[in-house]
Amino acid sequence: MAKAPSLREALRVRPGSKVDLATFDTGATHGRRKDTAAATLAKDLDRLTSLQDRLWAEGRHRVLIVLQGIDAAGKDGTVRHVMSAFNPMGCPVTSFKVPTPRELAHDYLWRVHPNVPGDGEIAIFNRSHYEDVLVVRVHGFAPKERWSKRYDQINAFERMLVDEGTTILKFFLAISKDEQRQRFQDRVDDPSKRWKFRMGDLDERKLWDEYRAAYEDMLEKTSTDGAPWFVIPADRNWFRNLAVATIVADTLEDLDPKYPPVEEDIPKGFVVE
Ligand code: AMP
Ligand code: MG
């Protein structure tokens, strides 16, 4: 039997391909099993810890991880479960919220650029500049003449970051409409989760089809070789965590970060007094 393709290959949106989220299986597990997932995830998290330590020590590569998804898709959970493998010192997380008046008084990339990763850093965007072709498009916060140009602008911006030494990974967490309903219900019922729920979330939910079209366009127009999108089946948290952890770890492994050489030769068996 042929070896199953890696999740990195299986879930990547190939540049120029069509994306149909209406038929996408948000509960897919790609042959992974829940009962062995915890052990596999633990291994991947160990890989991530070790790779990030070397990446930070080497101070050469810059890595940007973008998380997008509809409300309750699991963006926060992904940060908590996967990125917990990283030393927070080298791993700034930025959550992009409704723009402030000062942010709105500038172009949409103005608030983004200062938060991209520096040498040795893995920066995480919880939402991102993609909101400016998602929520902004769906609600008409900017006219079509403005937002429709942004796909090319974003590709150019990300291309510049890549050319300057940044590795970019973008994850779209895909859940079904019914899974979102259940998660909202959980938030309503569980006092420790209620703070995450706003009645306004239901207005967004009514725009499900409009968001789906906006996500499809985003995925089709902005998945590039240098800055690929991955569509993660995210109805099952265990699979979502496993998929994101594996893809990030495989990518960091390719960068092959190395501890820097010691400045002077330290004699073998040198004793510190
Ligand atoms: P949350 O992720 O639940 O903390 O919510 C953040 C909110 O900010 C979401 O409702 C986003 O749609 C909204 N948001 C983020 N970026 C933008 C933007 N550029 N324009 C308008 N709303 C935005
Ligand atoms: Mg929310």
Side-chain angles (χ1 to χ4, degrees):
M1 211 171 75
K3 197 168 170 279
S6 68
L7 290 176
R8 184 158 56 142
E9 272 316 300
L11 302 178
R12 186 169 64 92
V13 178
R14 274 159 199 72
S17 67
K18 284 271 155 213
V19 178
D20 180 6
L21 292 175
T23 58
F24 183 82
D25 181 3
T26 53
T29 55
H30 291 264
R32 271 55 174 190
R33 296 198 350 238
K34 189 177 180 185
D35 55 353
T36 54
T40 314
L41 178 64
K43 261 192 230 149
D44 278 333
L45 294 181
D46 278 350
R47 281 165 79 205
L48 286 174
T49 299
S50 149
L51 284 160
Q52 189 241 351
D53 195 52
R54 283 183 268 151
L55 194 103
W56 174 247
E58 187 180 46
R60 189 159 76 91
H61 298 286
R62 308 163 182 175
V63 179
L64 174 60
I65 297 173
V66 172
L67 297 175
Q68 284 290 163
I70 206 116
D71 286 322
K75 301 181 291 297
D76 296 4
T78 304
V79 173
R80 190 152 37 91
H81 289 288
V82 179
M83 315 311 171
S84 61
F86 298 147
N87 179 343
M89 200 138 60
C91 180
V93 180
T94 309
S95 294
F96 290 92
K97 305 284 184 182
V98 176
T100 63
R102 188 163 148 75
E103 286 169 351
L104 275 180
H106 294 80
D107 68 84
Y108 67 100
L109 292 175
W110 181 79
R111 66 173 181 166
V112 175
H113 206 168
N115 294 296
V116 303
D119 291 342
E121 284 183 337
I122 300 176
I124 301 180
F125 284 1
N126 184 3
R127 301 187 191 268
S128 65
H129 42 297
Y130 285 100
E131 292 295 325
D132 292 280
V133 290
L134 294 168
V135 65
V136 168
R137 161 176 165 165
V138 168
H139 286 275
F141 294 151
K144 185 169 183 187
E145 306 86 80
R146 287 276 280 282
W147 62 252
S148 60
K149 292 188 181 134
R150 291 179 176 169
Y151 302 98
D152 288 345
Q153 293 161 356
I154 288 172
N155 285 338
F157 173 64
E158 292 181 353
R159 171 79 178 269
M160 180 279 289
L161 294 177
V162 170
D163 288 348
E164 291 286 320
T166 306
T167 298
I168 304 181
L169 295 173
K170 303 181 292 199
F171 295 99
F172 171 63
L173 308 181
I175 59 169
S176 70
K177 197 171 179 187
D178 194 57
E179 180 64 25
Q180 189 196 44
R181 187 191 55 73
Q182 286 178 37
R183 292 183 184 192
F184 279 171
Q185 190 66 57
D186 258 17
R187 291 179 176 187
V188 172
D189 295 343
D190 180 342
S192 74
K193 291 184 182 167
R194 202 165 296 157
W195 64 275
K196 291 194 205 176
F197 182 76
R198 301 169 305 119
M199 287 305 268
D201 290 344
L202 298 181
D203 298 329
E204 297 296 289
R205 179 171 163 77
K206 289 198 191 103
L207 297 167
W208 185 272
D209 291 335
E210 286 79 358
Y211 271 107
R212 199 188 66 213
Y215 282 121
E216 285 175 349
D217 263 3
M218 170 191 87
L219 295 165
E220 288 174 4
K221 292 179 198 289
T222 64
S223 194
T224 60
D225 287 329
W229 275 107
F230 300 88
V231 183
I232 307 295
D235 280 353
R236 300 167 208 260
N237 292 348
W238 66 264
F239 181 77
R240 174 202 75 201
N241 292 338
L242 194 70
V244 173
T246 301
I247 292 168
V248 175
D250 287 354
T251 304
L252 296 184
E253 227 149 57
D254 284 353
L255 295 178
D256 192 21
K258 293 196 169 56
Y259 289 114
V262 287
E263 273 178 25
E264 305 158 47
D265 279 344
I266 299 166
K268 204 160 182 228
F270 180 76
V271 178
V272 178
E273 312 234 335

